[in-house]
Amino acid sequence: MKVVKFGGSSLADGNGFAQAIKIITSDPERRVIVTSAPGKRQAGDIKVTDLLIKYAKQVINDQPTNTTLQQILDRYQAIANYFHLPDSQLTPIVDRLQNLPNGNYPNDHYLLAAFKAHGERSNAQLMALVLNHLGHPARFVTPTTAGIRVSGTPNNANVIPETYSLLEQFTAKQDDELLVFPGFYGITLAGHIATFSRGGSDITGAILARGLHADLYENFTDVDAIYAANPGVVDTPQPIRKMTYREMRELSYAGFSVFHDEALIPAIEGNIPINVKNTHHPEKPGTLIVPDKDFQPSDIVTGIVSGKHFAALYLHKYLLNKQTGFTLRILEILAKHHVSYEHMPSGIDDITIILDRNLVDDQLIDTISNEIQEAVNPDRLEWINNYAITMVVGEGMRNRIGVINDILAPLAHQHIAVPMINQGASRISIMIGTNDHDADDAVRAIYHRFFAN
Ligand code: ASP
């Protein structure tokens, strides 16, 4: 059995629905479908999820909602019209969207989550209606019915293990229908909707693939494959045919965004291969993401990516290596302000703490710096705002001597300064810190060194 997830750009209009249905019905193994909310139909268009966020904020701020609600309804109506679905069939979807403001929400965060989730909920319900209308028996299944249980905050939920025992019970009762699930959300223990982080329909697909014991998780999106480098940075980069979960994890960490990084975890736990494919070219092989056991790499490097959303705190103190509790006190200050750190390369007298720049604003930087100054009295404390991390990832790097030289030589040739190098313990990735304005040049230089031919 295969779980098949379609992204928002694949289900943005009637044409997209028709293509998705062609894919679903062309393989009898494709039994479980996961939908995103309708995405952009063309550049400049607005995703339904973003319209729902606007709708929610208008309700919270007591502003008129008519225009926004109408824009949302029009998106589903247009898809229904494409298939000549009788209006009466769309009524439950329209009613629910109209009545969202009357729901029972513990606070505005829950309200926002429930509104957002209705982009996928309505699209899944509509997909089931269209499939039945075209003669393919299908059932719309909500996270409540299937048992997708989550904890965490309403707009950043995490699946909890109970989900998998509930899904086990759910599987036992299935017959031959296609099952259509909305992506992106689950139900809290108190019974409210909570969404995963943005792009989180991938996570639902992975949860279902694990919980329903799929043989394959097919993730249909709008690119032919995951590429060895960002096509916006490198001209026509090589597609990656096959890679391991941990390669994907390392690459998505620094910015490969085709597949949601949190969605890897359920797939890894269930040992389920993931195939990222193009809805518009389903005949192309796409990228297969598999367990690392028995994996035979075909290249030294699989992918190169740089993330520019980092900042770093540099601290220098003589005899740092002889002090106890120095790092602990710094980490306690970060923890007090709910700031997690990304990496912490250190020398004998200094450490650099690399942070996600999106987690800190100027005021917090000043507060944290002042508290560190007071607590550990460093000889030097510096805030570096424009830090980029380039990740060079490949299972093929593991037993290869001299890779670091092949990475650094092209950078030296281009006069790119490298203030930090870090090799992961798994030896399948090397992390290079640079100034953010050098990051794209660094990716190009390393790419050409490894993929020139
Ligand atoms: N519709 C949601 C978003 O735009 C989730 C998803 O598309 O996966 O973030």
Side-chain angles (χ1 to χ4, degrees):
M1 185 275 282
K2 295 177 185 171
V3 169
V4 194
K5 182 254 165 181
F6 292 95
S9 56
S10 304
L11 297 180
D13 55 17
N15 263 320
F17 261 59
Q19 178 64 11
I21 291 168
K22 209 161 119 193
I23 292 171
I24 296 164
T25 54
S26 68
D27 180 349
E29 288 296 306
R30 295 183 173 134
R31 308 299 312 157
V32 175
I33 324 299
V34 180
T35 66
S36 283
K40 292 183 184 182
R41 291 159 294 187
Q42 67 276 322
D45 197 15
I46 309 176
K47 286 176 160 195
V48 167
T49 309
D50 291 313
L51 289 171
L52 284 160
I53 293 173
K54 192 168 168 198
Y55 180 24
K57 289 189 175 156
Q58 287 167 337
V59 171
I60 292 169
N61 298 324
D62 271 331
Q63 290 164 345
T65 57
N66 293 1
T67 320
T68 314
L69 175 61
Q70 197 54 52
Q71 280 176 290
I72 297 165
L73 297 178
D74 286 349
R75 295 295 302 268
Y76 295 106
Q77 185 70 58
I79 298 168
N81 291 349
Y82 181 97
F83 294 99
H84 307 290
L85 199 73
D87 272 353
S88 59
Q89 293 205 15
L90 200 65
T91 311
I93 296 176
V94 172
D95 284 353
R96 244 189 119 91
L97 288 165
Q98 273 169 343
N99 283 318
L100 276 175
N102 310 323
N104 155 33
Y105 310 110
N107 61 39
D108 289 347
H109 299 294
Y110 284 92
L111 180 149
L112 176 63
F115 275 55
K116 266 163 50 193
H118 275 73
E120 344 297 283
R121 194 188 190 281
S122 311
N123 228 19
Q125 197 170 359
L126 182 55
M127 175 57 92
L129 288 170
V130 171
L131 281 164
N132 281 308
H133 181 68
L134 298 177
H136 309 291
R139 187 152 56 96
F140 164 56
V141 189
T142 63
T144 314
T145 315
I148 302 184
R149 293 278 186 277
V150 295
S151 64
T153 53
N155 293 282
N156 195 10
N158 304 307
V159 66
I160 55 172
E162 192 199 348
T163 297
Y164 297 108
S165 32
L166 292 170
L167 283 174
E168 212 62 68
Q169 294 164 28
F170 174 80
T171 332
K173 290 184 244 141
Q174 298 322 304
D175 46 30
D176 249 9
E177 290 168 312
L178 291 167
L179 301 175
V180 190
F181 290 80
F184 194 35
Y185 73 99
I187 305 297
T188 64
L189 292 175
H192 293 279
I193 286 180
T195 68
F196 301 120
S197 52
R198 288 300 301 267
S201 296
D202 284 348
I203 304 174
T204 307
I207 294 168
L208 292 172
R210 177 186 161 188
L212 305 177
H213 308 290
D215 302 301
L216 181 67
Y217 172 24
E218 289 182 310
N219 194 283
F220 280 93
T221 174
D222 53 6
V223 289
D224 284 346
I226 298 175
Y227 294 96
N230 179 348
V233 176
V234 169
D235 266 351
T236 56
Q238 182 175 306
I240 302 171
R241 287 278 160 259
K242 207 175 191 184
M243 69 203 292
T244 62
Y245 294 133
R246 54 185 189 171
E247 286 180 310
M248 185 69 225
R249 165 85 188 108
E250 306 249 4
L251 290 167
S252 58
Y253 168 76
F256 269 34
S257 57
V258 178
F259 187 73
H260 199 301
D261 60 347
E262 287 172 51
L264 281 167
I265 313 299
I268 293 173
E269 288 164 344
N271 229 0
I272 296 157
I274 305 161
N275 195 357
V276 175
K277 288 178 76 110
N278 191 344
T279 309
H280 308 290
H281 298 287
E283 70 292 348
K284 297 201 172 168
T287 299
L288 202 57
I289 310 169
V290 298
D292 39 80
K293 193 171 169 288
D294 301 329
F295 178 80
Q296 294 299 337
S298 50
D299 291 303
I300 302 168
V301 166
T302 299
I304 307 151
V305 57
S306 73
K308 298 178 192 152
H309 57 284
F310 297 101
L313 201 59
Y314 172 79
L315 285 106
H316 181 278
K317 188 162 176 84
Y318 282 114
L319 300 177
L320 178 76
N321 60 330
K322 300 242 171 356
Q323 296 206 1
T324 51
F326 184 89
T327 320
L328 177 68
R329 280 190 298 256
I330 297 170
L331 293 183
E332 275 169 352
I333 293 170
L334 292 179
K336 188 176 99 191
H337 294 287
H338 308 287
V339 175
S340 56
Y341 76 90
E342 302 290 322
H343 313 282
M344 199 164 33
S346 62
I348 45 169
D349 287 331
D350 48 15
I351 55 175
T352 309
I353 302 175
I354 299 167
L355 310 168
D356 181 338
R357 201 193 299 141
N358 302 321
L359 295 183
V360 286
D361 59 18
D362 287 359
Q363 191 185 335
L364 191 53
I365 293 163
D366 280 344
T367 310
I368 289 175
S369 306
N370 292 344
E371 289 181 18
I372 291 179
Q373 184 67 49
E374 205 162 299
V376 298
N377 192 26
D379 302 325
R380 219 172 115 196
L381 179 61
E382 211 179 299
W383 175 254
I384 307 158
N385 207 24
N386 48 357
Y387 210 88
I389 288 181
T390 297
M391 302 281 292
V392 186
V393 177
E395 295 281 349
M397 288 162 51
R398 233 159 104 72
N399 300 317
R400 184 99 189 176
I401 295 168
V403 179
I404 191 73
N405 182 47
D406 289 334
I407 294 173
L408 293 182
L411 300 185
H413 188 72
Q414 304 240 346
H415 305 289
I416 296 172
V418 177
M420 188 274 287
I421 304 172
N422 193 357
Q423 176 163 34
S426 63
R427 288 183 293 146
I428 67 153
S429 72
I430 290 179
M431 194 182 283
I432 311 279
T434 64
N435 199 308
D436 61 3
H437 66 243
D438 286 332
D440 289 348
D441 287 335
V443 170
R444 280 188 284 268
I446 299 169
Y447 180 88
H448 288 121
R449 171 67 190 77
F450 285 93
F451 293 93
N453 306 313

